[in-house]
Amino acid sequence: MLSKNKEMIKRVRYLFSGVVQGVGFRPFIYRLAVKNSLRGFVQNRPDGVLAEVEGSEAAIDSFLASVRRELPPLADVTNISSEEIPREPDDNFRIIASDTCGDGDVHISPDIAICQDCLKELFDPQDRRYQYPFINCTNCGPRLTIIKSIPYDRINTSMACFPLCAQCQTEYENPANRRFHAEPNACPVCGPKIQLLDEVGKTLRTDDPIKTAIGLLKEGKVLAIKGLGGFHLSVDAGNDEAVKRLRSRKYREEKPMAIMVMNLENVKCLADVNEEEEKLLTSPQRPIVLLKKKNSSTISEQVAPGVPNLGVMLPYTPPHYLLLEKDFAALVMTSANQVDEPICISNREAIIRLKGIADYFLIHNRDILVRCDDSIAMIAAGKEQLLRRSRGFVPKPILLKDSFPDVLALGAHLKATQCIVKGNFAFLSPHIGDLETPQARDFFQESLTLMKKITESNPDVIACDAHPAYYSTKVAEEMTGVRVIRIQHHHAHIVSCMAENQIDGDVIGLAMDGTGFGLDGHAWGCEFLIANETEFKRLGHLQYFVLPGGEKAIHEPWRIAASLLALAYGQSWSEIAAQLGIIPAGMDSKVLDKIIANKINSPLTSGLGRLFDGVAAIIGVRKTVSFEGQAAMELEGESDHEAAEPFPFAITPNADNCLILDISSTIRAIVNDLLAGKSKKEISSSFHRTLAVAFVAMCEQIREKTGINRVCLSGGCFQNKILLEGSIKQLESAGFAVFHHKQVPTNDGGIALGQAVIAGAIAKK
Ligand code: ZN
Ligand code: ZN
Ligand code: FE
């Protein structure tokens, strides 16, 4: 009976949704259908890939099992719906033209590094695409960054202006070919071309622009190189003078710059690489991976001065491979922009905006339509953690536990990103950056348009930060006909962590960052909350201290050191400060004393990032900084993982029964150790350990009060690996279930996700 049923002929319609377009999904379906002798068709639709298959039930079962088992590497199927439908008189299986009606539920694929098959062709002198810089296939190449509109068909990309030659057209139409419907398919005959321009944009006559570019890099020149999601500025990382020149032209004194290295073996000469890091480096997303720098390195110290880590990526486009093939230990590959401006994408824009920085431009005529910086990741607590989620990852959605009404979240102010929630998917935008300049704000608007287009959504619930002065907040306020929901910064951090870990309900949230607008008007940043998707309560925080001179204190951590010493020693702080040489010459400590005591232009903060700055200044790691987080990074660099003795601290409830983490005894202990001649390393290690121990003590008191045992860690301070790993370890051994970020940045780049989920949950209510 059963076997007879299995032979019965029927027709089933499947709809596959998720990342199913631009990833070779239709030829994949075609091959499996033909293999199982099924008739019917497959087609791209705005809401996914539709397949109708007709044949015996057994054949259809076997077809579906293979689909599930053998998915193409880049496909990510989030749902398969099916229904049995009346039979049709097909006599074969076909791939038919895209259907443009239906509700949008297709996910655009992120850009993907060149695959092994294409790489082989790139270096094969017999291949017709030998050394062709735009080689790609259904498994690799540009995606999001060439999209004009959806569905993802060549006509809707920046490849539309390159008609396929006969040979490419044949590949494109042949379901058995690995370039079947590879939308960016191209060859030297029909595809885009590379050009080399001088500093004013005049074309250089050369038969081989890449070879000439290599020569110029060798000479120490600064090249602007057009990549996948924008331009890089590049110099030979082994050339000290060249690196210095790039730094001074870019007004980037000390902030670390990323490097690109040909292969893993070469990376291992420059940095320590463990197995997980190796996987991350070679993944098709090819992020910049933060690795522990080796001393015996052959690259300029100027690439990442003072900090313990090196940001390294492997090549991900054909030109990268051609540039790096021989000769270079590493190339500096830093985003091509001026300070606080977004990455350049068009040839014209690059020539104008990089004037005075780049000596030459290695450009091409395939337009980049979406700005997408390199992503940055590290391995922490044995897991991948993204610190900047952009190229290679965007616009792949984060899967949420629940569905929500459509929401647009506008993020924070620094490391800005946006997020659109649609159903149970959260789509985060590419990294936009700090919203300080008109150019960054234009990019913010550009990104807004993009996000609405690719999600086919125009939400009327808008989430933004509670900070009244943020640009993103102002954008929300200027929108009409929408409901604006303002969300406290640290609440958003915690819910962001909950969302990506797919948990809901009450948690203890540890939000640790530099600064965020607090509900009492002070700058919060070391917060112990109980939170869920709609509400939070502040149950504890680091004791407030003054930031002498406000904004100035962020660039001059010695000011924070003075403030912390005043907290720890009262009146006599200035003697200690003098003894430790903290106050720079020309600054009168009596004036500073007045500023601190009377809080003149000096806001109160509980920011952990600021505490790091202050401690770094006290122990002499760094008294002034040239970029945010520099002091903390270097303090982390001084520390090691060895279990150091923690310093004392105290926890006392204030009048509102909020637990105050009192660090005056910590500061005194640090000073005592310093005066006793202990090393920076010992003190920094103890300081890190103190924080982890204090976090546990605070959480234990909160657990006692509330019975909550789950802890979510979020905020920029958890980019500090020693702090993150130490906190997880201590909390877990105290019996807490600990959650932290992996796919979504723990810094303000992840805020938009938390905002979107909170607003969605509120709107749902
Ligand atoms: Zn390929
Ligand atoms: Zn061609
Ligand atoms: Fe933050």
Side-chain angles (χ1 to χ4, degrees), residues 412 470 489-490 493 512-516 524 714-716 746-749 751:
Y470 280 0
H489 189 92
H490 302 97
H493 267 307
M512 303 295 157
D513 64 3
T515 182
W524 294 7
S714 189
T746 191
N747 57 46
D748 285 5
I751 284 278

Side-chain angles (χ1 to χ4, degrees), residues 114-115 117-118 136-140 178:
I114 179 173
C115 73
D117 292 336
C118 288
N136 67 82
C137 72
T138 49
N139 288 331
C140 75
R178 66 185 193 87

Side-chain angles (χ1 to χ4, degrees), residues 162-182:
F162 298 99
L164 290 161
C165 69
Q167 249 178 312
C168 287
Q169 184 73 34
T170 311
E171 294 168 344
Y172 185 84
E173 284 169 4
N174 175 7
N177 193 284
R178 66 185 193 87
R179 294 201 164 90
F180 175 75
H181 274 268

Side-chain angles (χ1 to χ4, degrees), residues 420-434:
I420 287 184
V421 164
K422 201 179 172 192
N424 62 335
F425 294 110
F427 297 86
L428 279 156
S429 73
H431 164 81
I432 300 167
D434 301 350

Side-chain angles (χ1 to χ4, degrees), residues 340-343 345 349 353 370-373 408-420 428-453 462-465 467 469-479 748-749 751-753 755:
D340 287 335
E341 289 183 7
I343 189 168
I345 53 173
E349 184 187 20
R353 279 177 48 200
V370 175
R371 272 173 232 279
C372 217
D373 269 278
L408 164 66
L410 298 179
H413 189 72
L414 301 177
K415 301 186 166 70
T417 58
Q418 301 147 347
C419 178
I420 287 184
L428 279 156
S429 73
H431 164 81
I432 300 167
D434 301 350
L435 302 176
E436 293 286 336
T437 59
Q439 290 81 356
R441 293 171 181 194
D442 286 348
F443 181 19
F444 188 87
Q445 297 291 351
E446 187 181 301
S447 171
L448 214 51
T449 309
L450 167 80
M451 293 308 290
K452 288 179 179 175
K453 191 158 64 188
I462 311 295
C464 66
D465 199 274
H467 200 305
Y470 280 0
Y471 171 73
S472 50
T473 306
K474 289 180 179 154
V475 170
E477 281 164 353
E478 279 162 18
M479 290 180 175
D748 285 5
I751 284 278
L753 173 63
Q755 290 176 343

Side-chain angles (χ1 to χ4, degrees), residues 11-15 50 81-85:
R11 188 177 183 95
V12 181
R13 176 186 290 154
Y14 291 103
L15 182 66
L50 182 99
S81 66
S82 65
E83 59 175 326
E84 199 175 327
I85 54 169

Side-chain angles (χ1 to χ4, degrees), residues 196-341:
L196 190 62
L197 312 180
D198 69 9
E199 58 184 334
V200 293
K202 222 178 85 214
T203 308
L204 248 67
R205 297 185 73 83
T206 161
D207 293 337
D208 191 339
I210 291 187
K211 209 165 151 200
T212 312
I214 292 172
L216 293 167
L217 286 164
K218 279 270 122 189
E219 286 171 27
K221 300 290 190 230
V222 177
L223 264 72
I225 299 173
K226 191 175 184 178
L228 213 45
F231 276 77
H232 283 118
L233 283 165
S234 185
V235 291
D236 177 358
N239 185 332
D240 213 44
E241 286 307 311
V243 180
K244 277 187 195 150
R245 196 172 312 128
L246 174 56
R247 278 204 179 278
S248 75
R249 289 186 192 173
K250 224 188 148 190
Y251 304 108
R252 184 165 169 143
E253 288 160 23
E254 290 166 316
K255 199 170 179 183
M257 299 194 286
I259 55 170
M260 188 177 273
V261 180
M262 183 61 180
N263 53 36
L264 268 178
E265 290 83 86
N266 295 3
V267 177
K268 286 174 182 167
C269 302
L270 307 174
D272 295 337
V273 187
N274 66 30
E275 213 177 295
E276 281 94 14
E277 288 162 342
E278 202 169 306
K279 245 202 248 152
L280 198 52
L281 277 166
T282 53
S283 69
Q285 290 80 15
R286 289 285 202 283
I288 296 168
V289 180
L290 299 184
L291 301 170
K292 192 151 181 357
K293 219 195 289 185
K294 268 188 182 161
N295 278 337
S296 60
S297 107
T298 49
I299 59 163
S300 164
E301 172 57 27
Q302 291 303 311
V303 170
V307 294
N309 292 331
L310 203 55
V312 183
M313 60 187 149
L314 294 182
Y316 55 85
T317 67
H320 293 156
Y321 277 96
L322 297 171
L323 282 167
L324 278 158
E325 195 196 348
K326 17 190 170 340
D327 292 342
F328 300 105
L331 286 175
V332 167
M333 281 285 194
T334 185
S335 296
N337 53 5
Q338 303 258 17
V339 179
D340 287 335
E341 289 183 7

Side-chain angles (χ1 to χ4, degrees), residues 501-678:
N501 284 289
Q502 298 200 320
I503 59 171
D504 54 13
D506 291 340
V507 300
I508 300 174
L510 268 55
M512 303 295 157
D513 64 3
T515 182
F517 187 77
L519 299 184
D520 58 2
H522 301 313
W524 294 7
C526 174
E527 308 305 315
F528 299 82
L529 314 176
I530 50 167
N532 58 38
E533 301 91 322
T534 53
E535 294 167 321
F536 79 99
K537 220 176 140 187
R538 190 189 199 196
L539 290 201
H541 63 89
L542 176 66
Q543 74 183 120
Y544 284 129
F545 51 94
V546 290
L547 280 181
E551 194 68 10
K552 263 192 199 160
I554 294 172
H555 306 289
E556 297 175 356
W558 60 265
R559 291 171 177 270
I560 303 174
S563 166
L564 293 172
L565 292 176
L567 194 86
Y569 293 94
Q571 287 294 301
S572 57
W573 74 267
S574 53
E575 290 152 40
I576 308 279
Q579 220 174 334
L580 299 175
I582 283 170
I583 312 298
M587 186 75 206
D588 185 351
S589 68
K590 282 197 196 95
V591 177
L592 195 59
D593 190 55
K594 258 198 198 115
I595 292 176
I596 294 171
N598 302 319
K599 304 190 185 69
I600 301 164
N601 184 27
S602 301
L604 285 179
T605 184
S606 59
L608 187 67
R610 300 291 88 84
L611 177 63
F612 264 92
D613 290 346
V615 169
I618 291 175
I619 69 174
V621 167
R622 177 163 281 281
K623 293 196 176 62
T624 60
V625 297
S626 63
F627 64 93
E628 215 240 336
Q630 186 179 19
M633 253 187 223
E634 291 182 12
L635 189 60
E636 179 188 356
E638 287 293 339
S639 179
D640 58 32
H641 282 266
E642 303 308 311
E645 232 5 78
F647 295 123
F649 59 88
I651 297 173
T652 37
N654 69 6
D656 301 325
N657 221 8
C658 183
L659 299 170
I660 305 301
L661 175 58
D662 179 336
I663 40 110
S664 45
S665 56
T666 317
I667 300 298
R668 286 193 296 270
I670 290 174
V671 170
N672 288 344
D673 274 8
L674 258 181
L675 296 176
K678 284 211 177 160

